[in-house]
Structure formats: structure tokens, C-alpha cells
């Protein structure tokens, strides 16, 4: 899971860096020099470039954080904490799996055909899960889920 997150962040950073460079080039291209005060194409391109550059910096920081992240071992009876891979199951048998990471909550990944959602400890679900153990219950979207796996 850890390697998947790092690979995905590296890929996203590469794509976003390229997009930011392209937007920057569009902002300074001679064809986009404004003809009048109402011609804002260059200005809009510069806003896009700045936004993409800011997001690229966030991704770079997250990538560095995950590269230096020490995975915690989990055994029977351990409490959920950072780096836990947690599976929840509702009464109908539907399961959802989450990785509790330090950043990039909302990132969705596939592991062995199963969707894993990265959440942070500060998220509503993450704060519910921290400190819980196998067999405990949490509320998610108005439904009750039991913690059925922790690794």
C-alpha cells in the first residue's frame, strides 16, 4: 500500500508539473499578449499556472512525507493509529478499506482488485477510527460498520 501511494504521488506530481509548465508557457506566449484591457487570456493562464504550481508543491511535500514514513506494525489487540490499513464491514457484508496516512486524504487506489481510500487522522472518519480496535463499531454515512481487519 505504501509503495502504491508513493508511486501514485510521483506520477501525479509529474503530470501536474508538466501541466504547470505548459500553462506558464501559454501565459507568456507572444500570441497571448493582451490587445486591450478586456483581453485576459494571458492573465487567466497565469492564474492556472500558479494554481498548478502550488498543487505541485503540495504533492512534492506529500511525496517526501510518504517516502520517510515509517510503517507501524499491527498485531492482535492493537489500536488503530497512523499507517493502519483498516477494513470496515456493514450488516449486509459490504466492506470498505481505508489507509490512515499523514496527508493526501481522498486519494483512491486499487490493491489486489480492492479500492483503498487514503484518509487522515484529522478527517471525521479518521478521528473516529484512531484508538479503536478490531470488533469496535464506527458510523459512516448513517450506517454502522464493524472494524473487521487491521494491518
Amino acid at each position: 500500500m505504501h509503495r502504491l501511494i508513493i508511486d501514485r504521488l510521483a506520477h501525479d506530481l509529474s503530470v501536474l508539473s508538466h501541466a504547470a509548465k505548459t500553462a506558464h508557457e501559454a501565459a507568456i506566449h507572444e500570441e497571448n499578449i493582451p490587445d486591450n484591457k478586456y483581453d485576459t487570456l494571458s492573465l487567466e493562464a497565469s492564474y492556472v499556472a500558479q494554481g498548478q504550481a502550488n498543487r505541485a508543491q503540495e504533492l512534492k511535500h506529500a511525496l517526501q512525507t510518504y517516502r520517510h514514513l515509517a510503517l507501524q506494525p499491527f498485531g492482535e489487540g492493537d489500536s488503530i493509529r497512523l499507517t493502519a490499513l483498516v477494513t470496515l464491514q456493514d450488516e449486509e457484508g459490504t466492506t470498505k478499506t481505508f489507509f490512515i496516512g499523514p496527508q493526501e486524504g481522498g486519494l483512491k487506489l486499487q490493491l489486489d482488485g480492492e479500492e483503498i481510500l487514503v484518509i487522515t487522522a484529522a478527517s471525521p472518519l479518521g478521528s473516529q477510527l484512531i484508538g479503536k480496535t478490531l470488533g469496535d463499531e464506527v458510523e459512516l454515512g448513517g450506517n454502522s460498520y464493524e472494524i473487521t481487519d487491521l494491518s
Side-chain angles (χ1 to χ4, degrees):
M1 188 69 220
H2 187 229
R3 173 61 31 207
L4 283 175
I5 293 171
I6 290 171
D7 290 348
R8 173 69 172 278
L9 291 176
H11 174 265
D12 290 355
L13 177 60
S14 174
V15 169
L16 194 60
S17 295
H18 178 70
K21 182 179 178 187
T22 301
H24 174 72
E25 289 171 357
I28 62 173
H29 195 275
E30 65 184 42
E31 289 181 4
N32 290 334
I33 296 173
D35 295 331
N36 59 56
K37 67 180 183 178
Y38 301 108
D39 187 358
T40 62
L41 186 59
S42 177
L43 180 62
E44 292 166 6
S46 71
Y47 289 155
V48 169
Q50 184 62 52
Q52 290 172 329
N54 291 347
R55 179 64 181 135
Q57 280 301 109
E58 291 171 3
L59 280 174
K60 189 181 292 186
H61 182 284
L63 183 57
Q64 184 178 22
T65 299
Y66 274 99
R67 283 185 173 148
H68 294 97
L69 182 64
L71 297 178
Q72 304 296 312
F74 292 91
E76 194 172 320
D78 283 345
S79 296
I80 296 173
R81 59 188 182 279
L82 193 63
T83 76
L85 188 62
V86 182
T87 301
L88 305 178
Q89 185 174 4
D90 68 10
E91 295 172 355
E92 298 169 0
T94 303
T95 62
K96 297 179 184 284
T97 304
F98 302 92
F99 178 81
I100 302 178
Q103 293 179 293
E104 293 305 303
L107 185 66
K108 292 180 182 178
L109 301 162
Q110 293 287 322
L111 180 64
D112 299 329
E114 182 180 4
E115 182 178 89
I116 311 290
L117 179 64
V118 175
I119 61 173
T120 64
S123 70
L125 179 58
S127 63
Q128 278 189 73
L129 289 172
I130 296 296
K132 302 264 190 203
T133 60
L134 283 175
D136 287 345
E137 290 193 1
V138 294
E139 292 293 319
L140 176 61
N143 295 325
S144 183
Y145 286 82
E146 180 183 350
I147 301 167
T148 57
D149 192 31
L150 172 61
S151 55

